[in-house]
Amino acid sequence: MEMAYMQAENLKHKRTFVKKLMVLAPLVTMLINFFAPLWFQMNSYNWWYVMLYPGFLTLLCTLIEQRDNGKLKYRGVASLPVSQNKVWKAKIGIACIYSWVGNIIFLLLNLLGGFVISVINGIPLVIGIWQAVAGTVCIVIGSLWEIPLCLWLSKKVGIFITVLLNAGLGSMLGIFAATTSLWVFCPYSWVSHLMISVLNILPNGQPVVDHSTAMPFWRIILVLFLSLVWFAVLSFVTERGFEKQEVG
């Protein structure tokens, strides 16, 4: 039954900008950095997880949420004999899938671009295949919790304020906190801090020189687990809030 909700949610975005955004955002990231071949892979990842991916994820969630909100204000959904909480779960689920798709496209373009540069300029891959895969997985899982948050913010305050808060203020906060001892208390810094150990990239785009700050494998897994827990908590809270507001 829940799969039917997911399929219905996916159909809503057929031939919309949401689908194009999944390709456009990674492609723009690649093009921005392709003309600096020596640092192409590192710069691409840094630009992606620090700036462009937070913007992509935020805009993705707001467009998904506003598809039913907009002028109708969920009246079209509320009038149907459907489970309101499953409608919200479907939005979260589709946003998660689209996030994975966008990141997989980015991963493939990054590796392809790195390979092309190695052939043309003789510059070896700075980030190996499995390291890139691990980095991409960390980026997706480490930021999953933003999906229910952005969907809920979009519903409450609209697209502009959501983008300003999550992609703007949130990203800046994450960059500044990532290299401090307070990073663990700031979920926005989790991805940037993970990249120090997984991809050896500092939030400012510089390669890691002092590896004493690198986290052991078990701590990386713990951070990803915390992100999943936070994702589950926010999904549950926003789902309950959505159901009560629409039915109540």
Side-chain angles (χ1 to χ4, degrees), residues 48-236:
W48 179 244
Y49 69 80
V50 168
M51 295 180 59
L52 291 168
Y53 177 62
F56 160 75
L57 185 62
T58 306
L59 189 57
L60 178 75
C61 291
T62 56
L63 291 175
I64 289 174
E65 192 279 326
Q66 290 290 316
R67 190 68 176 174
D68 282 323
N69 198 351
K71 295 181 179 179
L72 293 177
K73 300 298 181 183
Y74 287 99
R75 286 190 292 271
V77 175
S79 63
L80 297 174
V82 296
S83 170
Q84 299 300 314
N85 65 340
K86 288 182 179 179
V87 169
W88 190 253
K89 284 181 180 179
K91 291 185 182 299
I92 294 175
I94 285 298
C96 290
I97 292 173
Y98 289 176
S99 170
W100 274 107
V101 171
N103 274 277
I104 291 173
I105 292 173
F106 171 82
L107 169 65
L108 296 176
L109 288 175
N110 184 275
L111 291 174
L112 177 61
F115 177 75
V116 170
I117 288 173
S118 69
V119 171
I120 296 176
N121 299 320
I123 300 173
L125 290 176
V126 178
I127 300 175
I129 294 176
W130 293 115
Q131 189 182 14
V133 170
T136 299
V137 170
C138 287
I139 290 171
V140 176
I141 297 179
S143 57
L144 272 181
W145 61 272
E146 293 182 45
I147 289 176
L149 176 64
C150 287
L151 288 170
W152 187 249
L153 282 174
S154 176
K155 186 176 185 301
K156 290 296 185 179
V157 298
I159 294 178
F160 179 76
I161 300 298
T162 302
V163 172
L164 186 64
L165 290 176
N166 196 73
L169 184 61
S171 295
M172 290 178 60
L173 184 63
I175 293 171
F176 289 121
T179 54
T180 71
S181 59
L182 299 175
W183 70 268
V184 70
F185 301 107
C186 177
Y188 282 105
S189 71
W190 290 350
V191 170
S192 293
H193 193 80
L194 285 170
M195 294 303 101
I196 296 175
S197 301
V198 179
L199 297 182
N200 296 320
I201 306 175
L202 294 170
N204 62 5
Q206 296 296 315
V208 174
V209 177
D210 182 9
H211 291 274
S212 64
T213 57
M215 293 187 294
F217 180 73
W218 68 267
R219 192 173 293 178
I220 293 174
I221 297 300
L222 179 60
V223 174
L224 297 178
F225 176 74
L226 288 175
S227 180
L228 289 174
V229 170
W230 193 221
F231 167 74
V233 169
L234 288 174
S235 295
F236 177 80

